[in-house]
């Protein structure tokens, strides 16, 4: 175990997080809501801890093994969340540490679940930081670190592989540091375009920044309790819908567009599955809820928005979908489980895994009738390795089991019904945010106990890191020498 390299990288991440608080500090000073000192204190603590870790822990070599990569990613996200919670505490917005930690974890993992009830008169610097955690966590803090500080370590693929969503690593250029810069450049430009579009549609710059960052990270934090419904604007809803869908696309495909490979973009099988599932589910939901709204186009307005919100795992809401027919809510749950594309900022199992499992199921059915015929699962015009199919099957099994175990642990509270507890677990693992409950609108999770909130924090981290990095830190082998 290269402990010095681990400490050095964690120190760099602390310093980077301190730097990321600067925009929020500036806004706190501009608006004068009394939250500026919360950022000053937090940044001071991180610099005092981060500088020695970054400068004094000089490793003998910078080679990073897979075990160390998983450990760094898991510890980095835990540390990031803990220190990200401090401004909420120091600023008095969320005095309880467990609640503040929950809000921070929900932000960085782009889940969007919240314990807040009253959104009126909250400090704007802290609300900006709350949304900014989505933007940081969307693409990944380790990816950002490698983009800014590529010289920190040698073999960086283990870090990015452990942090990036999806079963495959999108290395779009030979050097991983250059790949990270390109991905973040695309991410930044798309965020700016959405920010400008929202302003044109009628949002003020502050609201537009909050919602653009939340959409980009597919997180869903809003500075209004009513979420996107607070604007009651079809134009704003269309913009949010379009960008929720865009941020659910594999960013490697956007790079193909940049280099002029338009054919490669539109011929992506993963993209076809993604858009096909989204459009078909949206249309079915729209038909199911039309009687509620009395107008087909109004129903489609809400169905396409909520379908994009659930499938991209953003979590914005424009209507009380708990009043929708059970069939429509089941479709939303399925979208929540599926998620979007690998290499995007969304959560969920990912479309590529679902597609491969469907093809594997089809192959097994054919094998029943043609046992001697050699049949290969193909995706993107390539044969899929059997080990990849095994990994996907294992991932989905662990994913479902984690949801069930999480639902059981949360239900020990005895405060909510089965539907609320199970969908709370699902929304945390899939990093979505909204909860479907038969107990009217369970619009926040503040009513759960501290124990349940810690369980949900672990579920959110596990879901964001594709399960295994966060689960690995509980395995004794990762801490052993040699």
């Amino acid at each position: 175990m290269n402990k010095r390299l681990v400490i050095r990288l964690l120190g760099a991440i602390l310093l980077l997080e301190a730097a990321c608080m600067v925009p929020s500090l500036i806004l706190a000073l501009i608006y004068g809501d009394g939250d500026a000192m919360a950022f000053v204190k937090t940044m001071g603590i991180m610099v005092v801890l981060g500088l020695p870790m970054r400068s004094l822990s000089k490793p003998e070599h910078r080679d990073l093994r897979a075990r160390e990569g998983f450990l760094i990613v898991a510890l980095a996200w835990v540390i990031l969340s803990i220190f990200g919670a401090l401004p909420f505490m120091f600023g008095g917005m969320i005095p309880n540490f467990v609640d503040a930690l929950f809000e921070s974890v929900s932000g960085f993992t782009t889940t969007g679940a919240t314990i807040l009830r009253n959104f009126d008169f909250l400090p704007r610097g802290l609300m900006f930081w709350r949304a900014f955690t989505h933007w940081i966590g969307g693409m990944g803090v380790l990816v950002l670190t490698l983009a800014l500080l590529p010289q920190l370590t040698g073999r960086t693929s283990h870090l990015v592989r452990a942090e990036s969503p999806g079963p495959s690593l999108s290395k779009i250029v030979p050097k991983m540091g250059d790949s990270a810069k390109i991905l973040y450049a695309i991410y930044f430009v798309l965020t700016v375009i959405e920010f400008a579009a929202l302003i044109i549609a009628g949002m003020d710059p502050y609201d537009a920044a909050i919602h653009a960052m939340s959409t980009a990270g597919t997180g869903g934090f809003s500075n209004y309790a009513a979420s996107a419904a607070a604007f009651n604007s079809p134009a704003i809803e269309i913009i949010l819908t379009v960008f929720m869908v865009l941020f659910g696309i594999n960013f490697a495909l956007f790079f193909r567009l940049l280099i002029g490979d338009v054919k490669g973009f539109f011929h992506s099988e993963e993209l076809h599955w993604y858009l096909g599932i989204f459009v078909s589910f949206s249309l079915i939901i729209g038909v199911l809820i039309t009687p509620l709204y009395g107008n087909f186009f109004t129903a489609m307005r809400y169905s396409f928005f909520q379908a994009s919100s659930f499938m991209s795992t953003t979590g914005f809401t424009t209507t009380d979908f708990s009043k929708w027919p059970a069939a429509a809510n089941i479709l939303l749950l399925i979208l929540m489980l599926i998620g979007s594309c690998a290499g995007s900022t969304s959560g969920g199992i990912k479309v590529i895994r679902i597609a491969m499992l469907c093809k594997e199921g089809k192959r097994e059915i054919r094998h029943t009738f043609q046992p001697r015929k050699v049949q290969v699962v193909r995706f993107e015009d390539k044969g899929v390795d059997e080990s990849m199919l095994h990994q996907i099957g294992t991932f989905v099994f662990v994913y479902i089991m984690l949801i069930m175990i999480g639902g059981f642990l949360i239900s020990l509270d005895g405060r909510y019904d089965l539907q609320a507890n199970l969908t709370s677990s699902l929304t945390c693992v899939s990093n979505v945010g909204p909860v479907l409950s038969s107990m009217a609108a369970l619009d926040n999770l503040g009513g759960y106990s501290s124990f349940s909130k810690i369980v949900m924090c672990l579920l959110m981290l596990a879901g964001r890191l594709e399960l295994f990095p966060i689960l690995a830190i509980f395995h004794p082998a990762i801490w052993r020498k040699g």
Side-chain angles (χ1 to χ4, degrees), residues 14-131:
L14 275 178
L15 294 176
L16 181 61
E17 185 177 11
C20 287
M21 289 186 181
V22 171
S24 302
L25 173 60
I26 293 172
L27 280 176
L29 292 170
I30 291 173
Y31 286 113
D33 291 334
D35 51 341
M37 282 306 298
F39 292 108
V40 172
K41 291 177 183 178
T42 305
M43 291 165 69
I45 292 171
M46 287 191 288
V47 169
V48 168
L49 293 175
L51 275 178
M53 293 170 67
R54 168 76 174 85
S55 57
L56 299 180
S57 300
K58 295 183 178 180
E60 296 179 0
H61 59 87
R62 296 188 296 124
D63 288 334
L64 196 67
R65 293 171 295 180
R67 181 174 67 167
E68 290 156 346
F70 272 65
L71 182 61
I72 288 170
V73 168
L75 292 179
W77 279 76
V78 171
I79 290 172
L80 191 77
S81 301
I82 290 171
F83 285 92
L86 296 183
F88 299 134
M89 289 184 64
F90 293 153
M93 180 172 148
I94 309 175
N96 181 278
F97 174 72
V98 172
D99 286 350
L101 179 65
F102 180 94
E103 204 75 11
S104 177
V105 171
S106 181
F108 282 114
T109 60
T110 72
T111 303
T114 183
I115 54 88
L116 294 176
R117 297 180 183 275
N118 185 6
F119 283 67
D120 298 329
F121 310 114
L122 291 176
R124 279 164 285 191
L126 286 173
M127 291 298 284
F128 184 88
W129 169 246
R130 181 173 173 264

Side-chain angles (χ1 to χ4, degrees), residues 372-390:
R372 295 184 180 181
K373 184 178 180 180
V374 177
Q375 302 180 59
V376 179
V377 173
R378 301 186 66 83
F379 196 81
E380 303 285 5
D381 296 324
K382 297 177 182 178
V384 180
D385 191 86
E386 293 298 320
S387 63
M388 174 67 76
L389 294 173
H390 174 73

Side-chain angles (χ1 to χ4, degrees), residues 234-256:
I236 288 174
E237 290 170 23
I238 290 171
I239 292 169
L240 290 176
T241 299
V242 168
F243 278 93
M244 283 189 288
V245 172
L246 286 177
F247 282 108
I249 295 173
N250 192 327
F251 273 65
L253 292 179
F254 290 129
F255 179 71
R256 287 189 183 182

Side-chain angles (χ1 to χ4, degrees), residues 106-107 109-112 119 127-138 187 191 194-195 198 203 206-224 227-228 240 243-244 247-248 309 312-316 345-346 431-432:
S106 181
T109 60
T110 72
T111 303
F119 283 67
M127 291 298 284
F128 184 88
W129 169 246
R130 181 173 173 264
F132 196 45
T133 56
H134 276 340
W135 198 85
I136 299 169
Y187 188 51
T191 307
E194 184 188 358
F195 170 72
L198 290 172
M203 275 194 189
Y206 179 79
D207 289 344
I210 295 288
H211 289 82
M213 290 188 297
S214 293
T215 307
T218 59
F221 273 158
S222 173
N223 51 327
Y224 295 96
S227 188
L240 290 176
F243 278 93
M244 283 189 288
F247 282 108
S309 181
S312 67
T313 69
T314 305
F316 284 136
T345 60
S346 72
N431 302 137
V432 183

Side-chain angles (χ1 to χ4, degrees), residues 139 143-144 146-147 173 175-185:
M139 187 61 71
V143 176
L144 178 59
L146 294 176
V173 293
K175 291 185 178 180
M176 188 58 70
D178 292 338
S179 294
K181 290 176 183 177
I182 292 169
L183 291 172
Y184 253 101

